[in-house]
Amino acid sequence: MNSNNKIIIAIDGFSSTGKSTIAKALAQKIGYRYVDTGAMYRAVTLYAMSHNMVAPDGMVNTEDLVAALPGISIGFGIMPDGTQHTLLNGEDVEEHIRRMDVSSKVSYVAAIPEVRHALVKMQQGYGVEKGIVMDGRDIGTTVFPDAELKIFMTASAETRAQRRLKELVEKGQATSFEEVLANVVHRDHIDQTREESPLRRADDALDLDNSTMTREEQNEWLLQRYRETVARVNNKAI
Ligand code: DC
């Protein structure tokens, strides 16, 4: 057990399963830091797109992007309303990285080994002191294989597309259910079949299929798992 009695909580799963919503809520409740690793891949994608390194078909100019990596800084800033925004080289890109143009290209950028190595290193740095809730695709398998609590979230593609569509419509971004569903299914495929740390459930992860659960039920479920884990880890340390 580390000296401050804090643990690492890794939340992985398919896109639009609501990982970040419950991860954020738990982090706030227990006073942990929250890190959205998808936002980090999205920020690198936005950088690549705005420097003309991504072709319309998703082909990435890997050589130029890898050369640019040392000059790309990603951070998180806390806004006056308490929300966390993603910063790309100091600029607030939170709104832009959630748009469909970035969503449709991010899987290609996230499949590049050098991009993954650079971001995984950064993510591991955030966890040095523990006390962290991190969500993504490879947190329990690659970033923190020794995380004390690992969750793997699933929900049907239709449920996820419906949720994503609602978010986009609320933000005033015109799109259709079919387009969002196609994007969800396409991203699942690329995320699961890429060579470098594909989306995979860690053997010791706990499953959470939230297709029919309310947000409150999910928050409660996760809080219970957190409490059990802390009790287990503390017992072991005695
Ligand atoms: O969770 P999200 O939809 O914001 O993630 C955006 C993309 O980044 C998604 O296509 C998968 C990828 N990703 C990844 O490969 N590894 C992570 N740890 C997080 C996200």
Side-chain angles (χ1 to χ4, degrees):
M1 188 76 194
N2 57 320
S3 56
N4 61 11
N5 277 1
K6 291 188 169 174
I7 64 169
I8 291 180
I9 302 168
I11 303 188
D12 289 303
F14 291 94
S15 60
S16 301
T17 39
K19 295 185 295 292
S20 62
T21 307
I22 67 163
K24 248 183 255 171
L26 179 69
Q28 198 180 20
K29 174 108 186 162
I30 64 178
Y32 275 24
R33 176 161 192 200
Y34 164 65
V35 176
D36 175 353
T37 63
M40 298 170 76
Y41 288 96
R42 286 171 181 271
V44 174
T45 305
L46 179 60
Y47 180 95
M49 289 167 72
S50 50
H51 289 78
N52 298 319
M53 296 174 187
V54 189
D57 66 357
M59 179 77 94
V60 182
N61 181 337
T62 305
E63 204 179 314
D64 283 3
L65 179 56
V66 170
L69 278 176
I72 303 179
S73 108
I74 298 168
F76 296 100
I78 307 292
M79 300 297 110
D81 67 358
T83 58
Q84 192 166 294
H85 281 200
T86 310
L87 310 176
L88 172 60
N89 289 338
E91 190 192 335
D92 185 343
V93 293
E94 184 60 32
E95 195 258 327
H96 196 163
I97 60 168
R98 310 289 167 193
R99 291 193 203 151
M100 275 302 271
D101 58 342
V102 175
S103 297
S104 65
K105 298 290 185 296
V106 61
S107 286
Y108 301 104
V109 171
I112 300 170
E114 291 88 344
V115 169
R116 300 203 70 82
H117 294 164
L119 294 189
V120 165
K121 215 163 149 204
M122 220 183 277
Q123 291 153 10
Q124 288 171 333
Y126 288 134
V128 168
E129 308 246 313
K130 300 213 174 195
I132 194 163
V133 184
M134 189 174 280
D135 75 24
R137 303 293 189 289
D138 59 343
I139 312 306
T141 52
T142 303
V143 181
F144 296 122
D146 296 328
E148 288 84 357
L149 177 58
K150 299 180 186 177
I151 308 293
F152 192 79
M153 290 182 67
T154 52
S156 72
E158 287 73 17
T159 304
R160 292 183 283 130
Q162 203 65 59
R163 289 180 187 153
R164 187 91 193 92
L165 178 67
K166 190 165 167 263
E167 277 171 22
L168 290 169
V169 168
E170 278 167 5
K171 285 183 193 159
Q173 295 176 33
T175 182
S176 67
F177 175 74
E178 287 69 29
E179 190 185 358
V180 178
L181 180 62
N183 178 252
V184 163
V185 171
H186 185 57
R187 275 206 285 160
D188 285 355
H189 178 73
I190 301 181
D191 293 345
Q192 286 176 290
T193 55
R194 68 167 172 245
E195 282 198 11
E196 186 76 20
S197 39
L199 169 63
R200 186 176 66 74
R201 176 190 181 285
D203 294 336
D204 52 349
L206 305 175
D207 290 298
L208 174 60
D209 181 336
N210 66 3
S211 300
T212 60
M213 286 169 88
T214 65
R215 210 169 267 187
E216 290 68 34
E217 286 167 341
Q218 296 173 55
N219 288 343
E220 191 49 38
W221 182 90
L222 185 58
L223 188 61
Q224 286 308 326
R225 301 294 84 71
Y226 160 74
R227 289 189 175 134
E228 285 165 11
T229 307
V230 169
R232 172 172 56 78
V233 171
N234 281 332
N235 260 342
K236 232 190 240 169
I238 294 168

